[in-house]
Amino acid sequence: MKLSKIPKLVRSANRYRAQHGLVATYRYAMQRARRRALGQSDIFNQFSFVLEKPVGKPYRDGDAAANTVNWFIPAVGRGSGGHLNIFRFVRYLEEQGFDCRIVITNAPGQDPAMVEREIAAWFFPLKARVYIGADKAPPAHITFATAWHTAYDVRNFQSTRHKCYFVQDFEPWFFPSGSSSTFAEETYRFGFTGVTAGTWLASVLNRDYGMTTHAIGFSYDRDLYKPLPRRNPELKRVFFYARPNTPRRSFELGIMVLADVVRELPGTQVVLAGADLSEFAIPFPYENPGIVDLADLPELYCQCDAALVLSFSNLSLLPLELMACGVPVVSNRAPYTEWLLTDENSRLERPTVPALAGAICDLLRHPEQAQRLKAGGFATCSATDWAVEGRRLGAILSSLPGTAPASPTTRSDRCPT
């Protein structure tokens, strides 16, 4: 870059920051840097997957056994919560006699055997074989899409009798209004049978898009998430799931709320986990363990008196995991949170700084309020069970015409419950 261009770039960056804020400026700068590193963007090739291009031979009765299920998924990432949920349900289906396959749609050149080893090492072993690309996928009685871009691959995939959609969040909200949000939203009109994470998504997709939907619930790993002793109970600590690169988790609002809490109750310790925050000026002292290994999360949670968990789309598993550790949850009141969070198991408030900060301060000042929410949280999470949800999914698939699982198998290397 020519030195003469630097003052102009600095002025441009300052104007953008004044108009859009620091976090938006950081995201924009990262996007510009990636585009510069990758060179000219090829829009047509990048989005050509949304075009209708039939793949495979049209399905005929007998092409696949009645217990076969293809799962079209994005490339596997270590520690991915979305992949963990998919693999958990694959495992439960295998135990019920379904023959599952994993089809990775966006990782050309990967070695299927290597991916199988990564799944076993990063998550847990599966019987499912891995295939790279829709064109390599075998015929199946049922084929699942698991993310909006995989839904286009499933739409094009001809070699299946039933097409289903495992929906964990409302993905059009992941993008500003425009091309990507429209592409994502359109997938809900493909006519697939929806299996959704929770009742809110099932209601929205059925009401607004006419999708046939079945809701399955959340649970937590009982062997991992449980109350642990406090090392310094006299210290007031607040946990916040801080994800600046995930707008729906409202990093900016959370920082403003916690700044108000620290101002009101000096000495409160704040734990910001979920990302490296070294690029941000945080206006109060804080602990930032970054991205924490699953095995270390319960110890981190259990050292806190309250947790701020903001969500402006469907909930993650985090509230249940915190409840199981005995940590009172504070969150924003909305339809996409209230399908699981209630006034009995959490503190719900309008998404404003005074309301959320006041809720946290109340819990820190009044242990009896925190104790009431702890009891409600324990009651909520103890009523959930991954095995029950796994059987529910098996029953949903068995209700599709012609589906016939094989005899269930007994496995000793079970997945986390």
Side-chain angles (χ1 to χ4, degrees):
M1 179 186 299
K2 294 182 179 179
L3 293 178
S4 60
K5 291 185 177 181
I6 292 178
K8 183 179 179 180
L9 289 173
V10 171
R11 289 194 298 271
S12 177
N14 286 336
R15 285 196 302 271
Y16 193 92
R17 177 178 177 178
Q19 293 172 353
H20 302 284
L22 176 62
V23 174
T25 303
Y26 173 77
R27 292 186 186 126
Y28 179 71
M30 292 300 98
Q31 292 169 358
R32 286 287 300 270
R34 283 193 293 268
R35 286 198 294 268
R36 186 178 296 275
L38 295 173
Q40 195 173 37
S41 180
D42 188 339
I43 297 297
F44 185 82
N45 283 334
Q46 183 181 354
F47 289 98
S48 62
F49 66 89
V50 305
L51 303 176
E52 294 196 43
K53 300 177 182 178
V55 174
K57 296 180 180 179
Y59 185 83
R60 297 180 302 177
D61 288 343
D63 282 353
N67 69 330
T68 51
V69 184
N70 284 349
W71 291 81
F72 281 43
I73 71 169
V76 180
R78 184 169 191 163
S80 166
H83 283 91
L84 174 60
N85 287 340
I86 293 167
F87 297 147
R88 178 183 283 119
F89 283 108
V90 167
R91 188 62 169 275
Y92 282 122
L93 289 182
E94 289 180 344
E95 291 181 352
Q96 295 170 70
F98 288 90
D99 176 13
C100 293
R101 302 80 166 266
I102 304 296
V103 182
I104 299 177
T105 64
N106 63 338
Q110 280 200 339
D111 175 22
M114 175 61 73
V115 177
E116 290 172 6
R117 289 193 293 270
E118 289 173 345
I119 291 172
W122 296 346
F123 301 93
F124 36 78
L126 297 172
K127 292 196 299 183
R129 297 294 305 274
V130 169
Y131 300 83
I132 306 299
D135 59 326
K136 299 295 192 299
H141 185 71
I142 299 167
T143 296
F144 264 104
T146 60
W148 72 272
H149 53 88
T150 70
Y152 284 93
D153 295 299
V154 172
R155 184 188 65 176
N156 287 334
F157 187 63
Q158 304 297 297
S159 305
T160 190
R161 180 171 180 181
H162 299 291
K163 297 184 178 184
C164 298
Y165 202 162
F166 187 71
V167 186
Q168 300 192 63
D169 211 336
F170 191 73
E171 293 185 298
W173 287 355
F174 290 12
F175 310 98
S177 182
S179 299
S180 292
S181 64
T182 299
F183 292 150
E185 185 177 21
E186 195 61 27
T187 64
Y188 302 142
R189 299 186 175 96
F190 285 176
F192 300 167
T193 297
V195 177
T196 67
T199 56
W200 172 73
L201 275 170
S203 175
V204 169
L205 299 184
N206 177 261
R207 182 192 66 220
D208 296 345
Y209 302 95
M211 185 186 292
T212 298
T213 55
H214 305 271
I216 55 178
F218 288 168
S219 190
Y220 67 101
D221 184 346
R222 282 172 163 74
D223 293 330
L224 185 62
Y225 298 102
K226 62 187 71 172
L228 298 171
R230 283 288 296 271
R231 290 192 302 272
N232 299 296
E234 71 282 1
L235 296 177
K236 297 299 183 182
R237 288 166 61 88
V238 179
F239 174 86
F240 175 48
Y241 182 54
R243 294 278 294 172
N245 290 331
T246 310
R248 63 190 181 278
R249 304 307 179 203
S250 199
F251 171 71
E252 301 89 341
L253 174 59
I255 295 301
M256 298 295 289
V257 167
L258 293 169
D260 213 41
V261 170
V262 173
R263 179 189 58 78
E264 183 69 19
L265 296 176
T268 300
Q269 295 189 351
V270 176
V271 179
L272 305 176
D276 176 10
L277 303 178
S278 58
E279 297 292 328
F280 297 92
I282 308 296
F284 48 80
Y286 65 96
E287 177 186 339
N288 178 218
I291 299 175
V292 182
D293 288 340
L294 285 177
D296 298 326
L297 285 174
E299 174 67 22
L300 181 67
Y301 296 161
C302 289
Q303 303 310 312
C304 297
D305 298 275
L308 178 62
V309 183
L310 300 175
S311 185
F312 289 85
S313 63
N314 202 29
L315 288 169
S316 69
L317 303 182
L318 183 57
L320 278 180
E321 294 167 351
L322 287 161
M323 290 177 190
C325 291
V327 183
V329 171
V330 176
S331 188
N332 51 296
R333 188 181 295 278
Y336 35 79
T337 60
E338 291 179 282
W339 70 267
L340 178 64
L341 304 183
T342 69
D343 293 323
E344 285 68 47
N345 62 27
S346 55
R347 180 71 180 264
L348 296 173
E349 296 291 345
R350 292 176 55 223
T352 67
V353 171
L356 291 166
I360 295 172
C361 289
D362 281 349
L363 294 178
L364 297 182
R365 286 178 170 136
H366 304 289
E368 70 280 3
Q369 292 188 20
Q371 193 59 42
R372 180 183 68 82
L373 293 186
K374 283 185 183 181
F378 283 137
T380 295
C381 64
S382 63
T384 69
D385 191 322
W386 281 124
V388 170
E389 302 307 326
R391 290 193 293 271
R392 180 172 287 121
L393 177 58
I396 292 167
L397 299 189
S398 295
S399 70
L400 298 175
T403 304
S407 298
T409 58
T410 300
R411 301 191 58 126
S412 59
D413 50 347
R414 290 181 53 81
C415 63
T417 58

